[in-house]
């Protein structure tokens, strides 16, 4: 099963991707995480991507497409995968088609802009494993420490008020058109993001059963 998760930055794509991964035993692939790893390691893709990411702009399609291609060719993707944050533009969706990747379902997690700003402003992420937390909605058990791996929680470089605005604009202009793209193919499922993450997860998993 090959799945795509769409949604604004901070809508909770990552959390939903992890839940699906655990329920269906297929890897969750976040191009944002792959690019951040590239930056840490100093790969050429990472070096090229950093300024775009810090500004809240999309990394150019050819760079992200290469990174994604390399990842899905790995062995663990043989039985399918969940794409979290890819595609983010029509050309990226067309690149998937060109690669011969058949998408089964596309889940769009819908959260309104005001709530997105609130969520991202309070977001903390694990510097080691990437798990997301929130200072009031989803606190770690120990302050600033990841429940899962004990890593230190940090504020992402691009989680600033200014950058959030850019990311939302980019989402509406470049990524949201993918909803019509996949709706026409009969693959689009809308999931309304709930206050409690667990409720959103229940809706997501239910959508995939049917
Ligand atoms: P979020 O969804 O919270 O914005 P991500 O980790 O998915 O976080 O993405 C962070 C940044 O990485 C994006 O703002 C963008 O600059 C870059 N990025 C990730 N995936 C893509 C993609 N498919 N195409 C272009 N840029 C991407
Ligand atoms: Zn962690």
């Amino acid at each position: 099963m090959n799945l795509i998760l769409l949604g604004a930055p901070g809508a909770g794509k990552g959390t939903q991707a992890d839940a699906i991964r655990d329920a269906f035993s297929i890897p969750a692939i976040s191009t944002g995480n792959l690019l951040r790893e590239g930056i840490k390691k100093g790969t050429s893709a990472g070096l090229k991507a950093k300024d775009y990411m810090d500004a809240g702009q999309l990394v150019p399609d050819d760079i992200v497409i290469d990174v994604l291609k390399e990842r899905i060719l790995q062995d663990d993707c043989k039985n399918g995968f969940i794409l979290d944050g890819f595609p983010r533009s029509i050309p990226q969706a067309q690149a998937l088609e060109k690669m011969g990747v058949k998408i089964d379902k596309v889940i769009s997690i819908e959260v309104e802009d005001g709530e997105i700003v609130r969520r991202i402003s309070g977001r903390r992420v694990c510097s080691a494993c990437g798990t997301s937390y929130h200072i009031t909605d989803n606190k770690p058990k120990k302050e600033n420490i990841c429940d899962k791996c004990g890593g230190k929680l940090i504020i992402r470089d691009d989680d600033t008020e200014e950058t959030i605005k850019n990311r939302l604009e980019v989402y509406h202009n470049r990524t949201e058109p993918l909803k019509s793209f996949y709706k026409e193919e009969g693959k689009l499922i809308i999931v309304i993001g709930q206050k409690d993450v667990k409720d959103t997860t229940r809706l997501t998993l239910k959508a995939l059963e049917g």
Side-chain angles (χ1 to χ4, degrees):
M1 184 169 62
N2 297 330
L3 303 174
I4 289 172
L5 279 172
L6 289 179
K13 295 186 297 290
T15 311
Q16 296 308 311
D18 287 353
I20 300 171
R21 174 199 63 201
D22 294 346
F24 293 89
S25 302
I26 49 176
I29 297 168
S30 153
T31 40
N33 283 346
L34 291 174
L35 292 168
R36 279 185 290 276
E37 270 169 34
I39 292 174
K40 262 197 210 163
K41 288 184 193 152
T43 63
S44 77
L47 291 175
K48 286 182 209 150
K50 186 171 188 336
D51 288 346
Y52 295 99
M53 292 174 78
D54 287 347
Q57 299 300 330
L58 290 188
V59 172
D61 288 333
D62 54 338
I63 300 173
V64 196
I65 289 166
D66 280 351
V67 167
L68 192 269
K69 223 185 237 172
E70 194 189 317
R71 178 64 187 87
I72 61 176
L73 284 174
Q74 285 173 27
D75 249 18
D76 63 334
C77 291
K78 278 208 177 106
N79 297 322
F81 45 78
I82 309 144
L83 300 182
D84 159 16
F86 188 100
R88 260 172 148 106
S89 67
I90 298 279
Q92 290 180 20
Q94 289 165 337
L96 278 177
E97 286 178 344
K98 258 193 229 145
M99 285 177 226
V101 172
K102 291 260 172 342
I103 298 299
D104 297 292
K105 285 175 182 170
V106 177
I107 297 177
S108 176
I109 314 279
E110 313 259 319
V111 174
E112 56 171 82
D113 286 7
E115 173 66 6
I116 289 293
V117 174
R118 193 191 70 81
R119 287 192 192 183
I120 302 190
S121 312
R123 176 154 77 176
R124 298 290 181 275
V125 296
C126 174
S127 54
C129 77
T131 301
S132 284
Y133 296 86
H134 189 278
I135 49 172
T136 55
D137 300 3
N138 178 23
K139 289 191 203 172
K141 293 200 180 84
K142 259 198 224 161
E143 202 177 339
N144 286 322
I145 301 291
C146 176
D147 292 349
K148 289 196 182 146
C149 79
K152 195 176 157 225
L153 303 189
I154 55 162
I155 299 176
R156 252 169 58 176
D157 286 344
D158 58 346
D159 279 353
T160 65
E161 213 170 301
E162 228 187 294
T163 308
I164 296 170
K165 266 191 230 146
N166 285 339
R167 284 155 70 198
L168 268 174
E169 204 178 297
V170 166
Y171 171 72
H172 291 305
N173 293 336
R174 304 279 308 279
T175 307
E176 230 174 356
L178 288 170
K179 279 163 50 183
S180 325
F181 183 96
Y182 288 116
K183 193 173 177 191
E184 272 166 32
E185 296 185 357
K187 293 173 182 168
L188 184 71
I189 300 168
I190 302 279
V191 169
I192 307 288
Q194 305 293 308
K195 275 218 183 84
D196 190 334
V197 186
K198 286 192 202 98
D199 292 328
T200 310
T201 303
R202 207 169 304 134
L203 292 176
T204 300
L205 296 178
K206 206 171 126 197
L208 290 175
E209 278 166 17

